[in-house]
Every structure is written in C-alpha cells, then in structure tokens.
Amino acid sequence: MNRMGGERRRFPGKYLVASLAVVSALVGGAAAVSVSGDSDDGRSHERRTDGLPQKTDTVTRQDLSSRTQVDGTLGYSKERKLNGGAQGTLTWLPDTGSVIKLDDPLYEADGHKVRLMYGKRPMYRKLKAGDEGPDVRQLKQNLRDLGYSRGLTVDESFTSGTAEAVKRWQKAHGLKQTGETGPDQIAFAPGSVRVQKKDAALGDQTGPGRPVLTTTGSDREVQIKLDASDAGLAGPGTRVEITLPDGKRVKGKVASVDHGSGGDGKGQGGGEESKKVTARVTFSDPSEAKGPDQAPVTVDLQGEKRENVLTVPVNALLALPAGGFGVQVVEGGKAREVPVKPGLFGQGRVEVSGSGLKEGMKVGVPTS
C-alpha cells in the first residue's frame, strides 16, 4: 500500500494530477505530493503488526479555500520615457520622486516651461485653428477642465473658441498669446506622473526624441511573478490581501496580467516550465499603499473556495493498487481502504468525496 508523502514547496497547483508518480497540489502555501512505496529509512520499527496505522486524523466537514501566498514588490504604475518636445538647453528639471499633476511644469528649456496635460496620444505637432484629430479633443478637454472655457464643446475640431481658450491659458502662464500651442508648451500623459529618474542634466541639449525624464504613474501598485502554469490563480479581478513592509494587511485586486514578461521561458534544462507571467495588483484604498519604492511585500491570492465539503489531511491520500486514490478508514479496530475522488487542495487538506465516507470517521496518516 503506497502512502502519499508530504514534501513541502511553494507550488500553487490547483487539482490533483491523475498520476501515481507525482501529485502537485495547493496546501496553505503549497505542496508537492509524491507517491512512494515502503522505504527503508529506519522507521520500519514504528509499524504496527495489526495492520492499523500509528496515527489517525478526522474526516472533517468545512469550508476549504485554495488561498496562495506569493512574494511581490511595491512600486508605482507603468514606467515610461518622457522625451523632449522643445528644442533648446535644459534650464530646470523636477526632483526625483516629484509628482507632476495637470498643468504643472515637467521641465524647462531655454527658460520656457513645458506643462503636463492629460491624454493618451502624445503631443507631436503644433495645434492651431482648422486642425482636426483626437489630440485636439484632448487639448480641448484639458482647457475645459482647467476652467479656461467651460462652454467649449469637446470634439476633434480646433475652432476659434479653442484658440480663445488657448490664449487665456497662455496669458495665465505669462506666454505670448498666439492661440496656438504645441510640444514646446505641452506634453500629454495618461494622468499625473511621478519622476522616477532624470535622463538628462541641466545644461544638456534637448529636443524631439531626446529622453528627459523617466516617469511612472503616481498610483502605487504591487508586481508579482508567477509560473505560467499558475497564471490562472491571478486572473484580472482576483481579490487579494497585501501584507505591507510594516506588517499591515490591506485589500487589493489583480488589475492585469502580462503573459509576455517576467522570464525568458528557458529554465536550467531549457524547458517551458520556467516561463513567468507578471501580474499588477492595485489597492482598494490607494491611501493605504505605504512603504518604500521596491520594498518587498506578500500577496495572498484568495483562489477558489468550496463550502461545506468533506476534507482529510493531504497526506492521508493513498494510491490504490487498482488505480485512483483512497483513504484508510479505521473503524471498530479494523482498517479498510475507501476509494475517494480528490477535489480542491488548500490549508493542508484536500476535499474528498465518495460513497462510504462520512464526517467524523478516522483515517490513517503518516507519523512523520
């Protein structure tokens, strides 16, 4: 009779693999469970001569969860390069760690500041009356949000009303009121940005295509890496609990999963098993996201849940000679094998079902 062993490692598998050689399963953090025969490891003197196990545990009815814990890194949202738009000499740069918001200056060339406005499309041309396009829409939305023309229709047409709004914005910042604007005055980004590092120094020449700053979003997030085979544990929307560097536990969820990052797909043996996926985790309450940049954190993935199911310890599973799995039930001073169908693994136990199995029964488990 082969008993399932309990070698522990971090492997958040989900279901029992139908093999008598190896069963990988989630147990609290996770476990790899292997089938082994009788071993000559010095413990043979512990075996009973009446066929009963040295130790038993109880078949329990409970809620079972495949909660999994993984390591993560606290950082900021997506990193991107900010290239120069204005041609000239850099005369001012923000400090590293600064958060730049709508209409704040990003950098200064030849004494003229380039300011941040929100939009997904970059500022790549001078915008003037008669122009059309989504970049015009972005500009008009920002001018309206800033209060320079509350009645301005936000569409893709640069009208005379748009020009008047641009003039009011230029006047507010001490610029020549031309009613036209471009990369020498405005840079677009999806939202507020944080200065990750400076890619140029004061006195350097800047211009189109020349990196000035490396920025991130201003929102904090956690990045975790998983084996590709375990990516299903962290699908978008998965609820998580994050343990911060100070020990505080806060709520969050998986925002996105990048299946093309985090590894080269080549392990030591050149196999596919080492491929990694990177998941972004955001905070339910952003104000709770406290800690140094790149600080290590722990993320608990809630995983699946089964309610009111029968469970036994993982190492109570037997590999039956005829195939499949079972447990050794002890009743009335006798032991018998009862076939079972394993289900969800978690918390050191496994969901089991099968006729002849009832709550409160005693099942054999290894002594070590």
Side-chain angles (χ1 to χ4, degrees):
M1 176 174 63
N2 293 331
R3 168 99 34 206
M4 308 295 291
E7 177 195 358
R8 294 187 61 82
R9 66 181 177 92
R10 295 178 73 86
F11 183 85
K14 199 157 59 169
Y15 288 96
L16 197 65
V17 178
S19 164
L20 301 184
V22 177
V23 178
S24 297
L26 183 65
V27 182
V33 186
S34 61
V35 180
S36 60
D38 292 341
S39 62
D40 187 14
D41 59 1
R43 294 197 299 269
S44 58
H45 64 279
E46 297 179 1
R47 297 172 186 153
R48 295 173 57 131
T49 58
D50 56 6
L52 295 177
Q54 287 281 341
K55 183 180 178 182
T56 63
D57 207 307
T58 304
V59 178
T60 304
R61 186 172 292 280
Q62 65 180 96
D63 294 343
L64 190 65
S65 170
S66 62
R67 192 181 187 96
T68 307
Q69 192 175 86
V70 296
D71 295 328
T73 304
L74 178 63
Y76 290 85
S77 51
K78 193 171 182 178
E79 186 176 295
R80 64 190 291 265
K81 291 286 186 182
L82 175 72
N83 292 327
Q87 190 79 39
T89 301
L90 288 172
T91 49
W92 176 84
L93 288 169
D95 293 332
T96 300
S98 299
V99 175
I100 314 298
K101 299 180 180 179
L102 179 62
D103 211 27
D104 287 344
L106 281 162
Y107 66 95
E108 184 182 271
D110 291 345
H112 301 293
K113 289 181 171 59
V114 175
R115 296 180 178 274
L116 175 66
M117 288 194 178
Y118 296 162
K120 294 182 178 180
R121 292 181 68 89
M123 174 63 91
Y124 67 95
R125 61 174 175 163
K126 177 171 283 190
L127 295 176
K128 59 189 183 303
D131 285 340
E132 302 272 346
D135 51 350
V136 174
R137 176 185 289 274
Q138 288 179 174
L139 174 64
K140 295 175 77 170
Q141 183 66 64
N142 281 272
L143 292 170
R144 182 170 174 174
D145 291 344
L146 290 167
Y148 292 106
S149 186
R150 298 190 183 281
L152 192 65
T153 300
V154 178
D155 57 20
E156 296 191 356
S157 298
F158 198 118
T159 62
S160 59
T162 311
E164 290 303 315
V166 170
K167 288 179 181 180
R168 285 190 283 273
W169 175 81
Q170 290 171 329
K171 181 179 180 180
H173 293 301
L175 300 171
K176 186 176 180 181
Q177 299 168 48
T178 63
E180 301 175 356
T181 190
D184 60 331
Q185 295 181 346
I186 292 172
F188 284 124
S192 60
V193 299
R194 172 185 170 273
V195 179
Q196 180 80 359
K197 67 175 182 177
K198 302 175 187 180
D199 295 313
L202 297 184
D204 286 351
Q205 291 296 302
T206 187
R210 292 188 179 184
V212 176
L213 301 170
T214 297
T215 66
T216 67
S218 59
D219 294 333
R220 305 302 299 273
E221 66 177 28
V222 171
Q223 188 179 97
I224 59 175
K225 294 183 185 297
L226 297 167
D227 290 336
S229 58
D230 302 323
L233 297 173
T238 299
R239 298 290 175 181
V240 304
E241 195 168 64
I242 305 158
T243 303
L244 296 171
D246 63 0
K248 184 178 180 180
R249 298 175 70 88
V250 299
K251 302 293 185 182
K253 69 177 180 179
V254 176
S256 66
V257 180
D258 183 356
H259 292 269
S261 65
D264 58 9
K266 296 180 181 179
Q268 292 181 350
E272 296 294 315
E273 68 279 358
S274 62
K275 282 187 177 178
K276 298 285 186 180
V277 297
T278 301
R280 292 175 49 249
V281 174
T282 56
F283 291 83
S284 299
D285 181 354
S287 67
E288 294 181 324
K290 300 183 183 302
D293 188 27
Q294 300 304 298
V297 298
T298 302
V299 178
D300 288 318
L301 303 169
Q302 291 187 2
E304 295 187 58
K305 186 176 181 180
R306 300 280 193 274
E307 295 183 353
N308 197 34
V309 295
L310 294 178
T311 72
V312 297
V314 171
N315 57 1
L317 288 178
L318 308 173
L320 300 179
F325 298 91
V327 292
Q328 187 181 37
V329 172
V330 180
E331 285 184 316
K334 296 182 180 180
R336 58 188 174 90
E337 292 178 355
V338 175
V340 297
K341 181 180 179 181
L344 185 70
F345 287 76
Q347 303 158 233
R349 300 181 71 86
V350 56
E351 173 191 1
V352 288
S353 58
S355 59
L357 195 67
K358 295 185 295 186
E359 181 181 4
M361 280 182 167
K362 297 295 182 180
V363 293
V365 293
T367 55
S368 61

